[in-house]
Amino acid sequence: MTEYNLHEIRKKYLDFFEKKDHLIVRSFPLVPKDDKSLLLVNAGMAPLKPYFLGTKEPPRKRMATCQKCVRTGDIENVGKTDRHGTFFEMLGNFSFGDYFKREAINWAWEFMTEELNISKELLWISVYLDDDEAYNIWKDEIGVSEKKLVRMGKEDNFWELEVGPCGPSSEIYIDRGEKYGCGDENCKAGCECDRYVEVWNLVFSQFDKDEMGNYKTLPSPNIDTGMGLERITAVLNDADNIFEIEPIKSIINKIEEITNVKYKEKDKSDVSIRVITDHIRAMVFLASDGVIPSNEGRGYVLRRLIRRASRHGKLLGLKDSFLYNLADIVIDNFKEFYDNLEVKKAQIKKIIQIEEQKFQETIDQGIEILKGYILEMKNKNQKTLNGYKAFKLYDTYGFPLDLTKEILEDEALDVNEEDFNKEMENQKNRARNAREKGSKSDWDNQNDLSLDKSIQTKFEGYENLSSKSKVIAIIKENQSIESLKENERGYIILENSPFYGESGGQVGDKGIFENDNFKGNVIDTQKKEEKLLHLIKVEHGNISLNDTIYTKVDKDRRIDIARNHSATHLLHKALKEVVGEHVNQAGSLVTDERLRFDFTHFEALTKEELMDIEKKVNDKIWESLEVSVVETSIDKAKELGASALFDSKYGENVRMVKMGEYTIELCGGTHVNNISQIGIFKIISESGIASGVRRIEAITARKVYENIIDMDNTLEALSETLKSNKDNVLEKAKSYVEEVKSLQKQIDSLNSKIANSKLDNILDGVSNIDGINIVTKKVDEIDVEGLRQLGDKIKERLDKSIIVLATDKDDKVNFIATATSDAVKRGIHCGNIIREVAKATGGGGGGRPNMAQAGGKDASKIDEALNLVETLVKEQLNK
């Protein structure tokens, strides 16, 4: 057979079907669009499902793609076998009610035998056992010998889902020769051995399966084919597996270079090399499509791949992060066809580097602890790791359960997953309870409120801030009542209202209800289904069912909210421009005081990035762009490029907010009419709130003005304190800092001298337990830093030692504990020792195995506390 590399075959395939009048479509992103059923695109036809289902009109009835795919169902086997992988490319040609079996079969044969120059003698075909039509086309029109035509059952040659389009399939196999066979004289296509390799699957979608399992013939049958690019390349190059074809082999060569470990010399290292080779391709392509590491969904897939590959790098002897540099070879090898790899190169490498560095910071500690668990289990002849211990590894050291299982599996051990899951659920409950404590108590009683569905409120707040309306319901303590009296609180539902009910991150309006006999303050407004619940406190008079009242929204507050809401749209767009298109909204809060915007990103923003974002938003504000609102269909909004989380809660008709030509978003909130009304925008903080999620808080307009006044007052007070004018306050502050540094050096020098003067006296009191030297001492007239320096000097003089020192300088009781590395290896843990020592004086603290610090309250009990050290050391050595 003629040898081709992967890129050559991809090009040949797409060029071939372009000549057959197919629309050649670039690979869709790995993140599915408008498909909640898929975490990641895992097949060539997956992005085209709407065309097969008839819910969307295809751009052309004939299409062909080379689709990047990720499958993680067999991730535990990746590396352990030659066959399993997570990332692959799938070639496919598709017909949506155009051509059918005859064309699909003829073109497949033509491509295999003429374009790829595969001998007809090497090709075998399987067909569904009842598909005489396909069988006869292969036999009579193509001329395939019946000896090489194999009928197979539904399990092998029929493609279907629970419901929807389905049909028989026909597969093309290549005979790789007797050397790959099982020796059975009946060996043929479909045998479990490696001789006959299935390379192309032609699916004939000719039926529609209903919920009852009935198959109805489709009036316009479809064609869906799939050929694994890596697999066909391996077969044509007579390679044993996909790891031995270019450009994948070049990744292995690079791994050999950076690890000095040769592939195919040791089975164990081969596993690690294959894991890294496979995973680096998957992580590069995932990152290029906007996936960032997290603890959920597709973000967890990426995190798991990075951590798994990083751990196998350690098994090959690599101590530092390396994956982000290895990404270069993937990008360089695939950028010609996937040009976004080069465009996003810096972003891809940064995502991988930061995640790997996070893992590197904890993996060594986690592995050492897990090794200790394994040793303990073997000593006790146990086979299953306690689920709580596995959870602590996850919670403290970032060890995914999958990684713990994988390491245990290497030792023929497993883990109690049921207990692990219970601990995970307990953690979620704790977090949920904490959130609920911060919920609005005024609304707590309304959680189970059940009202007549016919009761609805017409919202008029986009156009008006006041209205005349009728009271249609009053609720107090979860009961419908007739009226509310003076000083009573309750919930009012009106026929129509200008009050915005909290939703989409925007808080509810406040304001006033009144008529000739009544006045009430609206404290908050919430939305429940199609009803607006106005929480009011009656100021005077009564409000009763069917009363007519006048409503008035707090105008200044509403305008401030609108300013902040419009600013979030500008901020979202500016973030994408400065940080990257992978940025997506992950939550928001818009009040009259400030705005909070949560977004997906993998690292803290730099000062320069924040300044750039802030400038972009303000520049747009000062361009005075008009804000327009259009109500349209969800499909039309997508066509126009509206930004939104399209897997969220939008109906068929949506509200689209457009700010000039700069940004378009789907939004139900209230906005300014022209973005110049925002006035000015100022970022006040940027922080991380979860893995892969950052938060920006900002203010606008009058709050920025108030902030400027506050800062000016602070500057005035600072200049008075430093006895300086405002113009040179910075220089004055710097001179004071330098003076403090100079004095600190003098203090450190004195501490060192004090420590040296006390050293010999302290070393006279060394005790020894089972080869571990123990030093305990209360040291007078020395601060905590002096204690640390003294502890370090004692360690320099004593091997295998644990040192616990105390001081009560300035009426403050402080302890430090420090231990040599050889003492820690024997089981000494300073953090656990110092905790118990401090507890004896009414204090607390802790720390690492080799260093810890604690505070106490009762100085009179210092000696008693230090006397505990020997007992605590004995307990640790005897564990």
Side-chain angles (χ1 to χ4, degrees):
M1 288 183 286
T2 306
E3 294 185 6
Y4 300 103
N5 69 32
L6 182 143
H7 298 315
E8 290 171 331
I9 295 175
R10 185 196 299 114
K11 186 176 188 308
K12 277 182 170 291
Y13 184 89
L14 297 177
D15 288 349
F16 175 82
F17 279 100
E18 188 171 28
K19 291 173 185 173
K20 302 297 183 185
D21 200 28
H22 286 63
L23 174 66
I24 306 303
V25 182
R26 293 176 65 88
S27 174
F28 292 86
L30 284 166
V31 177
K33 189 175 181 181
D34 308 328
D35 189 348
K36 295 180 182 179
S37 68
L38 281 181
L39 191 65
L40 294 164
V41 169
N42 60 7
M45 62 78 64
L48 308 176
K49 274 202 293 187
Y51 306 146
F52 284 108
L53 295 171
T55 57
K56 274 190 177 181
E57 185 72 24
R60 197 183 296 175
K61 295 206 171 195
R62 297 181 183 185
M63 293 173 65
T65 65
C66 179
Q67 176 63 44
K68 49 193 176 184
C69 305
V70 167
R71 293 180 187 171
T72 57
D74 290 320
I75 193 170
E76 291 82 7
N77 292 319
V78 173
K80 295 177 182 177
T81 72
D82 291 334
R83 294 183 177 185
H84 288 91
T86 55
F87 177 84
F88 61 96
E89 296 178 78
M90 183 65 75
L91 300 166
N93 57 287
F94 310 95
S95 166
F96 309 107
D98 185 29
Y99 64 83
F100 199 44
K101 293 181 186 179
R102 175 164 286 102
E103 292 87 346
I105 290 172
N106 273 278
W107 290 338
W109 187 259
E110 180 183 346
F111 180 76
M112 297 292 276
T113 58
E114 296 182 22
E115 294 295 321
L116 297 184
N117 297 312
I118 300 173
S119 169
K120 297 176 182 179
E121 297 303 312
L122 299 178
L123 298 177
W124 286 60
I125 310 298
S126 70
V127 296
Y128 180 51
L129 55 87
D130 292 334
D131 191 358
D132 292 335
E133 181 184 2
Y135 187 93
N136 290 330
I137 293 172
W138 283 114
K139 178 173 71 74
D140 299 332
E141 297 184 27
I142 303 299
V144 176
S145 164
E146 289 191 79
K147 182 183 72 173
K148 293 183 178 179
L149 273 171
V150 182
R151 290 186 185 264
M152 294 187 185
K154 205 167 189 181
E155 185 177 333
D156 297 299
N157 279 79
F158 196 95
W159 185 90
E160 64 181 339
L161 298 172
E162 291 297 321
V163 295
C166 58
S169 69
S170 184
E171 297 172 320
I172 301 175
Y173 290 76
I174 296 179
D175 181 359
R176 303 186 73 196
E178 292 182 6
K179 65 178 180 178
Y180 293 100
C182 57
D184 189 323
E185 61 180 15
N186 294 315
C187 182
K188 59 184 177 182
C191 181
E192 292 297 319
C193 72
D194 293 331
R195 177 171 177 174
Y196 299 95
V197 178
E198 180 261 308
V199 293
W200 203 347
N201 188 18
L202 316 178
V203 178
F204 312 125
S205 298
Q206 61 191 86
F207 301 113
D208 185 11
K209 182 182 177 184
D210 64 23
E211 290 84 354
M212 303 300 293
N214 300 312
Y215 297 91
K216 296 179 181 177
T217 301
L218 285 169
S220 299
N222 305 314
I223 289 294
D224 161 24
T225 84
M227 177 161 57
L229 179 56
E230 292 85 354
R231 182 181 292 187
I232 185 65
T233 306
V235 172
L236 291 182
N237 286 273
D238 198 26
D240 288 340
N241 54 71
I242 65 167
F243 296 98
E244 296 181 7
I245 62 172
E246 286 297 352
I248 299 175
K249 182 70 166 62
S250 61
I251 302 173
I252 289 181
N253 295 340
K254 188 66 177 178
I255 296 170
E256 289 179 317
E257 179 187 322
I258 63 177
T259 61
N260 289 320
V261 176
K262 286 294 178 186
Y263 186 52
K264 288 205 165 180
E265 284 191 354
K266 293 181 181 177
D267 288 343
K268 192 170 184 179
S269 59
D270 284 354
V271 168
S272 294
I273 290 172
R274 284 193 293 266
V275 166
I276 297 167
T277 301
D278 170 81
H279 287 9
I280 190 66
R281 283 209 305 156
M283 65 181 79
V284 163
F285 279 94
L286 284 167
S288 75
D289 282 340
V291 179
I292 59 174
S294 68
N295 285 332
E296 294 180 331
R298 54 186 68 100
Y300 179 67
V301 171
L302 178 54
R303 167 162 287 168
R304 187 179 176 192
L305 291 167
I306 293 173
R307 292 184 170 187
R308 195 168 187 260
S310 180
R311 180 207 165 218
H312 279 279
K314 284 196 168 293
L315 294 178
L316 294 174
L318 295 174
K319 290 183 169 51
D320 300 322
S321 300
F322 70 99
L323 291 171
Y324 73 100
N325 282 326
L326 192 60
D328 284 331
I329 195 164
V330 179
I331 294 169
D332 290 343
N333 281 335
F334 287 86
K335 66 185 179 183
E336 186 176 346
F337 189 73
Y338 299 102
D339 53 12
N340 70 324
L341 295 180
E342 183 66 29
V343 173
K344 296 185 176 182
K345 183 174 184 175
Q347 175 186 315
I348 293 166
K349 294 185 66 175
K350 197 76 171 175
I351 289 172
I352 295 170
Q353 181 184 21
I354 289 171
E355 180 60 26
E356 188 178 12
Q357 284 176 344
K358 284 180 185 175
F359 191 46
Q360 292 278 358
E361 289 167 7
T362 57
I363 186 173
D364 290 334
Q365 289 174 286
I367 286 176
E368 286 305 313
I369 289 172
L370 184 52
K371 282 181 180 177
Y373 291 159
I374 290 170
L375 184 61
E376 182 182 343
M377 290 165 66
K378 288 184 175 180
N379 289 338
K380 295 180 179 179
N381 291 318
Q382 295 175 341
K383 290 288 184 183
T384 303
L385 178 66
N386 180 292
Y388 174 75
K389 290 180 177 178
F391 175 75
K392 290 300 290 182
L393 279 170
Y394 164 79
D395 200 35
T396 307
Y397 298 101
F399 251 58
L401 179 62
D402 307 294
L403 184 53
T404 299
K405 285 167 61 179
E406 190 170 309
I407 295 173
L408 288 171
E409 190 179 294
D410 291 341
E411 302 289 337
L413 304 170
D414 60 16
V415 61
N416 188 325
E417 290 189 55
E418 186 177 344
D419 285 352
F420 175 90
N421 291 331
K422 284 179 183 176
E423 291 296 332
M424 283 289 287
E425 191 58 36
N426 289 340
Q427 185 190 59
K428 289 177 183 176
N429 289 336
R430 287 192 293 271
R432 193 178 299 117
N433 292 336
R435 286 196 302 272
E436 288 172 357
K437 284 181 182 177
S439 65
K440 296 183 178 182
S441 58
D442 277 318
W443 299 101
D444 287 348
N445 291 333
Q446 303 312 309
N447 289 338
D448 299 320
L449 182 63
S450 179
L451 293 169
D452 188 337
K453 289 189 176 180
S454 65
I455 296 177
Q456 295 185 359
T457 306
K458 180 184 177 184
F459 176 60
E460 303 172 324
Y462 291 134
E463 300 83 14
N464 304 306
L465 294 180
S466 61
S467 71
K468 178 181 176 182
S469 190
K470 179 181 176 182
V471 177
I472 56 176
I474 304 175
I475 303 103
K476 183 180 179 183
E477 296 176 355
N478 211 27
Q479 297 292 322
S480 291
I481 59 173
E482 293 293 318
S483 66
L484 284 174
K485 300 174 184 175
E486 191 168 316
N487 292 323
E488 284 189 323
R489 294 163 70 102
Y491 308 94
I492 305 295
I493 300 178
L494 305 174
E495 277 187 345
N496 52 284
S497 171
F499 282 72
Y500 183 86
E502 180 174 333
S503 63
Q506 178 175 324
V507 296
D509 280 333
K510 296 181 180 182
I512 291 172
F513 285 178
E514 61 185 343
N515 59 24
D516 292 341
N517 305 311
F518 149 83
K519 184 176 182 180
N521 293 316
V522 180
I523 301 166
D524 194 8
T525 310
Q526 293 282 318
K527 189 175 181 180
K528 183 177 175 68
E529 296 169 348
E530 296 302 314
K531 307 166 185 62
L532 290 173
L533 275 69
H534 307 83
L535 173 62
I536 75 160
K537 181 180 179 182
V538 180
E539 190 175 312
H540 64 75
N542 299 339
I543 184 169
S544 300
L545 204 59
N546 297 317
D547 278 359
T548 296
I549 63 168
Y550 294 93
T551 68
K552 186 177 181 181
V553 174
D554 183 333
K555 181 180 178 181
D556 288 344
R557 182 174 180 273
R558 165 71 85 83
I559 290 172
D560 285 341
I561 292 170
R563 288 181 175 123
N564 287 335
H565 202 152
S566 295
T568 64
H569 288 217
L570 299 177
L571 173 60
H572 191 185
K573 180 66 174 179
L575 276 164
K576 284 183 175 288
E577 289 180 340
V578 174
V579 180
E581 285 296 322
H582 66 281
V583 166
N584 280 309
Q585 181 176 338
S588 69
L589 174 66
V590 179
T591 74
D592 56 318
E593 299 278 331
R594 64 193 171 96
L595 65 94
R596 187 180 78 201
F597 190 80
D598 300 339
F599 59 98
T600 54
H601 189 50
F602 46 85
E603 65 177 337
L605 300 190
T606 64
K607 181 181 177 181
E608 292 72 24
E609 285 174 326
L610 289 171
M611 288 176 65
D612 195 5
I613 291 163
E614 190 174 270
K615 185 176 185 304
K616 279 181 178 290
V617 173
N618 281 309
D619 284 346
K620 288 300 170 185
I621 290 170
W622 300 329
E623 283 182 25
S624 301
L625 302 177
E626 289 293 327
V627 177
S628 59
V629 176
V630 178
E631 291 193 2
T632 184
S633 68
I634 187 78
D635 289 336
K636 184 66 175 174
K638 291 178 190 178
E639 284 177 24
L640 293 171
S643 174
L645 300 175
F646 284 110
D647 56 350
S648 289
K649 63 251 178 222
Y650 301 105
E652 277 306 306
N653 294 311
V654 294
R655 187 170 182 266
M656 194 168 65
V657 178
K658 186 169 181 257
M659 297 180 181
E661 298 301 319
Y662 187 60
T663 172
I664 311 175
E665 288 198 33
L666 301 192
C667 182
T670 62
H671 290 274
V672 296
N673 296 320
N674 185 296
I675 62 174
S676 63
Q677 293 174 273
I678 298 170
I680 190 168
F681 170 86
K682 178 68 181 171
I683 294 172
I684 55 175
S685 71
E686 191 272 347
S687 60
I689 60 167
S691 181
V693 181
R694 308 294 303 176
R695 170 173 291 170
I696 281 179
E697 296 192 70
I699 52 178
T700 63
R702 73 183 82 215
K703 285 299 173 184
V704 176
Y705 173 73
E706 291 172 8
N707 182 263
I708 291 170
I709 297 298
D710 288 343
M711 293 295 289
D712 196 53
N713 290 337
T714 301
L715 183 59
E716 184 75 42
L718 183 60
S719 9
E720 287 178 11
T721 302
L722 296 175
K723 294 182 172 51
S724 165
N725 59 49
K726 291 182 183 178
D727 293 336
N728 68 353
V729 67
L730 181 60
E731 287 72 19
K732 193 78 171 179
K734 284 180 178 177
S735 70
Y736 277 125
V737 170
E738 290 303 317
E739 188 176 341
V740 169
K741 286 181 181 178
S742 176
L743 291 170
Q744 186 61 52
K745 285 181 181 178
Q746 294 178 41
I747 292 169
D748 290 343
S749 177
L750 287 171
N751 275 329
S752 181
K753 289 175 182 177
I754 293 169
N756 283 328
S757 68
K758 298 176 182 294
L759 187 59
D760 291 336
N761 177 262
I762 292 173
L763 289 173
D764 289 340
V766 178
S767 60
N768 188 287
I769 294 176
D770 195 17
I772 298 295
N773 292 308
I774 302 172
V775 177
T776 59
K777 187 73 175 179
K778 178 188 174 189
V779 186
D780 297 323
E781 295 306 314
I782 192 170
D783 61 14
V784 175
E785 182 56 36
L787 276 188
R788 289 199 198 96
Q789 291 188 20
L790 185 55
D792 289 340
K793 289 182 181 296
I794 295 170
K795 276 203 301 185
E796 290 173 5
R797 300 274 290 271
L798 280 178
D799 292 332
K800 296 180 182 175
S801 59
I802 164 74
I803 301 110
V804 182
L805 304 176
T807 181
D808 64 343
K809 190 176 188 313
D810 300 326
D811 297 324
K812 291 181 181 178
V813 177
N814 282 295
F815 296 93
I816 69 103
T818 184
T820 58
S821 58
D822 43 14
V824 172
K825 287 178 181 176
R826 289 283 308 277
I828 296 300
H829 194 296
C830 291
N832 295 340
I833 288 174
I834 205 83
R835 187 183 301 112
E836 298 304 317
V837 169
K839 199 182 291 182
T841 66
R848 303 188 304 273
N850 64 332
M851 170 60 74
Q853 183 176 329
K857 295 179 181 178
D858 190 346
S860 68
K861 293 186 177 180
I862 287 178
D863 290 335
E864 178 185 330
L866 291 174
N867 287 336
L868 295 172
V869 174
E870 289 194 9
T871 302
L872 294 168
V873 169
K874 285 179 184 177
E875 290 175 358
Q876 289 190 347
L877 293 175
N878 290 328
K879 276 188 177 179

